[in-house]
Each structure stands twice: as C-alpha cells, then as structure tokens.
C-alpha cells in the first residue's frame, strides 16, 4: 500500500490541476489569466527549497554518523531539488516572456536564482570528481552546508534589497497582496503542499534506486 | 426576409471564432487530468516494482 503522503500528493496535485484551471481568479492588469501560474510556477520554488533543506539535514546526519546511506539521501534530495529549480526557471521564463516581454531580464531575483543553481551544479561536479565514497560523502556534505545558506540569501534576501520586477521584491508588492484573495488561497496552499510532496516522492524513488545500485556495487 | 437570413448567417459566422470564449475549455482540463493520472499510475507501478526488488 502506498504511503499516506504519496496518496496525498496525488490528490492535491490533481485538485491543483483541475481547480487551478477552473476556479475563478481575480482580474489583474497585465497578468490576466496568467495569474494561474501561481499554482504551478511558484510551488516549484517552494518544493525546491524544501528538498534542499532536506538535503542539508541529511548532509549533517551523514557527517555525524558517517553513514553512506545518509549521503545517498542527501544527494537524491539535492537532485530532485535541482529538477524542481530547473522547471521553476523554465516556467518562469515562459511567464516572463508573456508579462514582462522577455524570457530573461537582468533582474536580481532571476540572476540570483541562476547563480544559486550553478552552485548546486558545482555540487554534482564535485561529487563526480571524488572516487573514494567516504571522502565524497564528507566533502560534498560540507559543500552542501555552504550552498544552502548562500542560496537562501541569494534568492530571499538580496533581491529584496534592490529594485526588482519579480513580485515580493524591492518595493514590488508580493503575491501576498493578491494572496489575501481567498480565491487564490484555496488553490495555492494545496498546490504548494501537493507539488512539494510529489517532489519528495520522486526523491524517495531516486533514493531507493541509488540504494539498490549501491548494494549491487558492493556485491560485485 | 432575405435580410433577416443574411443577418443570421453573419451573426453565426462572427460568433464562431470567438477568442475569449471558454467554450470546451473543460475538455483541456479533462485531458490534463488524464495525463497526470497516467503519469502517476506509472509512478505508482515503479514504486511497487522497487518495493519488490527491495524485499
């Protein structure tokens, strides 16, 4: 039987897909119907953040216990986190093209997100460059713990200090002001929860596959 | 009478390509729902196959 949170992710995402398209939304200038992207683009970043936090938690656990299974978990969460981040960037680009007029603007929020993702790309490069499993686990865990706080500062702190087109930054009203609209809330919260749980499910499959591969490598 | 029919035809054809109509929009919602259910079914089956391998 599937775990309860996996079933919850199916129900919530299915609800998000249907209700997110059918329920009425507030009429806003420029955004128009594209405000519905709030249910699909934004949860990718919430999901990514949750997955990266999980990755850092298991990095700490791995450093403490010297358990390679913790390293497998940490890597898998980071991997799915980056998948979510990539989808977040791509969906954001489509949205930006249709509201701001360009796929990419030199906006602090966008550039910070790109830099942060490159830092995690370096995490995977670093892992690939170390043969010894224990050494790989230790060094990449330390680097992981450096990445997370920098990423959080990059995407949540720095863009708020400067002018930015992106909602929620630099004097630009966040979606909070629209979020007060209960019509958006009714889908937005289930959407964030659902996509987040789905991300953890994908990571769960990645972890279990890696464990099996790891076992096989040990046997060979 | 002729005018009336012409009017009707014109009205009908001008109604056809209405861009902001939400007509049949629910069809797309249905398609997306089926698509997601399909992907999730595959995900569930993968989950179960993994479970078998783990035991």
């Amino acid at each position: 039987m599937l775990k309860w949170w996996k079933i919850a992710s199916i129900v919530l995402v299915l609800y998000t897909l249907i209700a997110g398209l059918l329920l009425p939304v507030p009429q806003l200038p420029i955004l128009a119907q594209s405000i519905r992207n709030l249910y699909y683009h934004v949860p990718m970043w919430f999901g990514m953040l949750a997955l990266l936090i999980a990755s850092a938690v298991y990095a700490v656990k791995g450093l403490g216990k010297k358990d390679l299974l913790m390293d497998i978990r940490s890597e898998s969460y980071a991997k799915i986190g980056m998948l979510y981040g990539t989808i977040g960037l791509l969906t954001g680009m489509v949205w930006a093209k249709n509201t701001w007029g360009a796929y990419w603007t030199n906006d602090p929020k966008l550039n910070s997100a790109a830099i942060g993702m490159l830092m995690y790309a370096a995490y995977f490069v670093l892992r690939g460059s170390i043969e010894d499993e224990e050494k790989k686990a230790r060094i990449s865990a330390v680097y992981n713990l450096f990445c997370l706080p920098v990423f959080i500062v990059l995407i949540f702190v720095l863009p708020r200090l400067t002018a930015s087109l992106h909602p929620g930054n630099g004097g630009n009203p966040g979606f909070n002001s629209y979020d007060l609209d209960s019509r958006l809330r009714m889908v937005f919260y289930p959407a964030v929860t659902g996509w987040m749980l789905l991300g953890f499910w994908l990571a769960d499959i990645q972890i279990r596959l890696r464990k099996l591969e790891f076992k096989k490598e040990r046997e060979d | 009478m002729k005018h009336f029919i012409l009017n009707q035809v014109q009205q009908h054809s001008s109604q056809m390509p209405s861009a902001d109509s939400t007509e049949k929009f629910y069809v797309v919602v249905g398609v997306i729902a089926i698509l997601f259910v399909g992907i999730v079914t595959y995900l569930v089956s993968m989950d179960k196959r993994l479970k078998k391998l783990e035991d």
Side-chain angles (χ1 to χ4, degrees):
Chain A
M1 191 54 201
L2 274 182
K3 294 222 171 67
W4 67 267
W5 57 273
K6 290 177 182 173
I7 296 167
S9 83
I10 299 173
V11 174
L12 288 171
V13 173
L14 195 59
Y15 166 77
T16 303
L17 290 174
I18 297 169
L21 292 171
L22 293 181
L23 290 186
V25 290
Q27 296 298 309
L28 299 162
I30 302 170
L31 284 165
Q33 290 290 327
S34 84
I35 183 71
R36 295 183 193 274
N37 274 345
L38 182 71
Y39 311 142
Y40 311 107
H41 163 75
V42 183
M44 289 300 121
W45 296 103
F46 278 79
M48 180 202 67
L49 189 68
L51 287 159
L52 292 183
I53 290 172
S55 175
V57 167
Y58 280 100
V60 173
K61 281 191 181 175
L63 283 173
K65 282 191 192 166
K66 303 223 184 311
D67 184 352
L68 285 178
L69 289 181
M70 298 298 151
D71 182 54
I72 287 176
R73 287 186 154 267
S74 184
E75 186 204 10
S76 303
Y77 285 128
K79 220 174 216 172
I80 305 298
M82 281 306 102
L83 172 71
Y84 265 45
T86 308
I87 296 172
L89 274 187
L90 292 174
T91 53
M93 282 167 76
V94 174
W95 202 1
K97 178 67 184 169
N98 291 284
T99 47
W100 300 342
Y103 287 109
W104 196 271
T105 59
N106 270 330
D107 192 89
K109 187 82 162 187
L110 276 61
N111 285 343
S112 292
I115 295 167
M117 291 191 54
L118 285 174
M119 282 180 4
Y120 275 93
Y123 167 81
F124 294 108
V125 174
L126 178 69
R127 293 186 64 88
S129 69
I130 305 169
E131 284 282 334
D132 185 69
E133 295 285 342
E134 318 248 325
K135 208 174 182 182
K136 179 196 281 185
R138 198 155 13 95
I139 293 175
S140 61
V142 173
Y143 180 66
N144 190 327
L145 293 177
F146 157 78
C147 278
L148 183 68
V150 178
F151 199 5
I152 288 174
V153 170
L154 272 173
I155 62 173
F156 292 115
V157 182
L158 290 181
R160 285 194 163 76
L161 300 176
T162 53
S164 171
L165 285 168
H166 197 283
N169 299 284
N172 198 344
F175 274 112
N176 278 345
S177 53
Y178 314 139
D179 201 28
L180 291 175
D181 192 305
S182 57
R183 283 172 293 180
L184 289 178
R185 255 190 204 162
M186 255 174 58
V187 184
F188 182 63
Y189 294 149
V192 167
T193 320
W195 290 113
M196 201 181 273
L197 290 175
L198 192 72
F200 275 86
W201 188 0
L202 293 177
D204 176 66
I205 285 178
Q206 170 77 18
I207 291 162
R208 288 154 64 193
L209 262 176
R210 282 290 299 130
K211 274 188 192 165
L212 287 174
E213 282 171 359
F214 184 71
K215 239 164 90 184
K216 199 154 185 302
E217 278 163 23
R218 280 278 155 107
E219 282 165 5
D220 290 343
Chain B
M1 189 59 192
K2 200 181 164 193
H3 266 94
F4 174 74
I5 293 171
L6 206 69
N7 233 1
Q8 286 284 302
V9 170
Q10 271 173 349
Q11 244 178 21
H12 188 70
S13 59
S14 69
Q15 272 167 0
M16 282 304 276
S18 51
D20 51 10
S21 159
T22 54
E23 203 186 353
K24 292 180 187 170
F25 180 61
Y26 62 89
V27 178
V28 183
V29 179
V31 166
I32 291 174
I34 291 167
L35 194 143
F36 178 69
V37 168
I39 291 174
V40 158
T41 309
Y42 176 68
L43 199 59
V44 171
S45 89
M46 229 165 48
D47 201 287
K48 281 184 180 156
R49 275 161 63 199
L50 260 176
K51 188 108 204 101
K52 257 187 211 161
L53 272 176
E54 283 163 344
D55 296 334

